[in-house]
Amino acid sequence: MDKVEKTEQLPEFLQTEFDPRDPNPWLALYLDQSTPLPDHVKQAWLTDSASPSRQFLLPFVRPIARTLIVLIQVVKVVVPRKWAASKFLHWILATGLKYCVRPEANWLVLRHFHMGAQILEFIAANSPVKVETSPLKPITLDDLKDELFLKHDLNLFNFVIRLGKALRDADKKLLPVAQPDFSMIKEPEVTLEAMPRGRLNGIDLQTAIEMFTPTYQLFLTDNDFWRASNSLQLDETIGLYVATILNSPQHLVLLNNKHPLVPMSTLRAGYRLVLHGLSTEMLHAMLMELKKQQGFTSTQQ
C-alpha cells in the first residue's frame, strides 16, 4: 500500500517508462546533473513547470500582465506618489497563494525566504567587518501577510548598503576565506506536505508570479515597485560576494539576471523573479554541498 501511495505522488515524468523515440523533456531535465539542485527540489520545480496551467494558462496571462504593467504605470502618473496599500497587497498575495496556487509552488516560495536569509547570513559571517542582517523565515503562507515580500526586497538593498559602508569605513574588502563558516546553511524548515491542497490549488509558480506582478505594482508606490524589480539584479552582486569568499568565480555562470549597474524594464519583472528564485535555489544548494564537503574534510582530519 505504501509503495502504491508513493508511486501516485510521483510526477508523471517519473512514472512513465523511458521511450527513446519519444523522450520526455521533463525527465531529461530531472536526470541532468549540470545544475546543482537536490532531487527533491528539482522534482518539485519540474512538477510545477509541467503542470497544465503553465502550458495552457501562462501564454495568455503573460501578455495581459505586461499590458497591465504599462497601463498601471500610466495611472501612477496621476495617483499621489506616496499612495500605497502594502498590508492589503500582502493579504491578497498570501490569500491567492493559499487558495489558488500549487503546493510545489507555495513550498518553493516559502523556501526562498529562508534560503535568501541564510545566504546573507553566510556573507555577513565571512566578512571582515560586522554586518547586521534581518532574516525573514516564514513557516506558513499566512506569515507572508506581515509585508514579507516588501521586507525581502528592502533587506537585500539594506544589506548591500550596510556591507559596502562598513567595508569602506574600515578600508577593507571581501576576501577569500580558507575555512568559511557554513553554520547557518541548512535545509529550510518548511515542508511540501504542509502546503494547501484544495480543489483550486492548481496555478503554477510562473503563472502566479505573472498575475501578482501588476498587483504588486498597483498597491505599492512607484518607487517601491521600481526598487523591487531592480532588486533582482542584485543576484549578480550577491553571487560575486559568495564567489569571492569561496574563491570560486566559476559558480557565477549560474546567475543570469543581468548586470546590476544596468537597470532593466519592469515589463519582464515576473520572468526575472522566476530566475531569481532558481538562482537562489542553486546558490543555496552549492553552499549545502560545500558544507557537507567541509564536514567530511574536518572528520577526516
Side-chain angles (χ1 to χ4, degrees):
M1 185 65 178
D2 291 340
K3 291 183 178 180
V4 173
E5 290 178 353
K6 187 174 182 180
T7 303
E8 290 177 348
Q9 293 174 0
L10 291 176
E12 183 180 352
F13 63 84
L14 288 180
Q15 294 188 48
T16 56
E17 188 174 346
F18 169 54
D19 181 0
R21 297 186 61 185
D22 185 21
N24 190 310
W26 304 114
L27 178 61
L29 292 173
Y30 177 76
L31 295 176
D32 170 55
Q33 297 184 27
S34 63
T35 52
L37 280 182
D39 284 350
H40 67 295
V41 174
K42 186 182 289 188
Q43 180 176 318
W45 188 281
L46 293 177
T47 299
D48 181 77
S49 298
S51 65
S53 74
R54 185 185 179 279
Q55 181 178 358
F56 300 110
L57 186 58
L58 181 60
F60 295 97
V61 167
R62 179 168 281 160
I64 293 173
R66 292 182 178 179
T67 301
L68 286 173
I69 289 175
V70 175
L71 295 176
I72 292 171
Q73 186 63 59
V74 173
V75 172
K76 290 284 186 176
V77 174
V78 297
V79 172
R81 294 187 63 183
K82 295 295 183 180
W83 183 88
S86 181
K87 285 285 188 182
F88 181 58
L89 165 67
H90 283 79
W91 179 87
I92 293 174
L93 297 177
T95 303
L97 289 169
K98 187 174 183 178
Y99 293 106
C100 300
V101 176
R102 294 180 59 87
E104 296 87 0
N106 283 327
W107 181 60
L108 292 168
V109 167
L110 290 181
R111 280 175 57 86
H112 179 75
F113 287 93
H114 290 251
M115 293 183 299
Q118 290 179 23
I119 291 170
L120 295 188
E121 289 172 334
F122 171 80
I123 297 169
N126 292 285
S127 168
V129 293
K130 186 175 181 179
V131 189
E132 179 185 349
T133 61
S134 304
L136 300 173
K137 299 181 180 181
I139 299 299
T140 69
L141 295 171
D142 285 331
D143 293 338
L144 300 176
K145 294 177 183 178
D146 188 24
E147 301 182 279
L148 258 61
F149 287 104
L150 179 59
K151 290 178 180 178
H152 176 66
D153 299 330
L154 295 175
N155 276 354
L156 283 172
F157 280 104
N158 288 337
F159 179 81
V160 171
I161 290 171
R162 287 168 180 156
L163 175 62
K165 188 176 185 304
L167 289 172
R168 285 171 179 262
D169 290 346
D171 194 23
K172 295 182 178 180
K173 293 183 178 180
L174 283 179
L175 296 171
V177 177
Q179 291 292 325
D181 179 3
F182 290 100
S183 61
M184 72 299 296
I185 303 298
K186 59 183 179 180
E187 185 69 14
E189 297 175 1
V190 290
T191 64
L192 178 56
E193 292 73 20
M195 297 301 102
R197 297 172 183 271
R199 289 186 177 183
L200 299 180
N201 289 107
I203 298 178
D204 66 283
L205 180 62
Q206 291 188 48
T207 303
I209 287 175
E210 291 290 349
M211 288 178 170
F212 288 149
T213 299
T215 310
Y216 203 81
Q217 178 191 20
L218 179 62
F219 290 105
L220 290 181
T221 65
D222 193 52
N223 185 56
D224 282 342
F225 180 65
W226 184 90
R227 184 178 54 236
S229 176
N230 284 281
S231 71
L232 302 175
Q233 284 165 234
L234 291 180
D235 285 354
E236 302 285 347
T237 303
I238 298 301
L240 281 167
Y241 291 165
V242 174
T244 299
I245 291 169
L246 298 175
N247 197 24
S248 57
Q250 66 271 20
H251 293 300
L252 290 176
V253 72
L254 301 174
L255 305 175
N256 55 1
N257 245 334
K258 308 305 178 185
H259 199 289
L261 292 181
V262 185
M264 297 187 68
S265 166
T266 55
L267 280 179
R268 292 168 59 84
Y271 173 72
R272 293 176 62 229
L273 183 55
V274 176
L275 288 178
H276 169 65
L278 185 57
S279 296
T280 303
E281 282 281 2
M282 291 193 293
L283 183 55
H284 185 267
M286 181 193 73
L287 292 173
M288 287 281 286
E289 182 59 31
L290 291 174
K291 180 180 181 178
K292 290 180 182 178
Q293 293 177 12
Q294 186 190 66
F296 176 77
T297 302
S298 299
T299 301
Q300 291 293 96
Q301 292 175 347

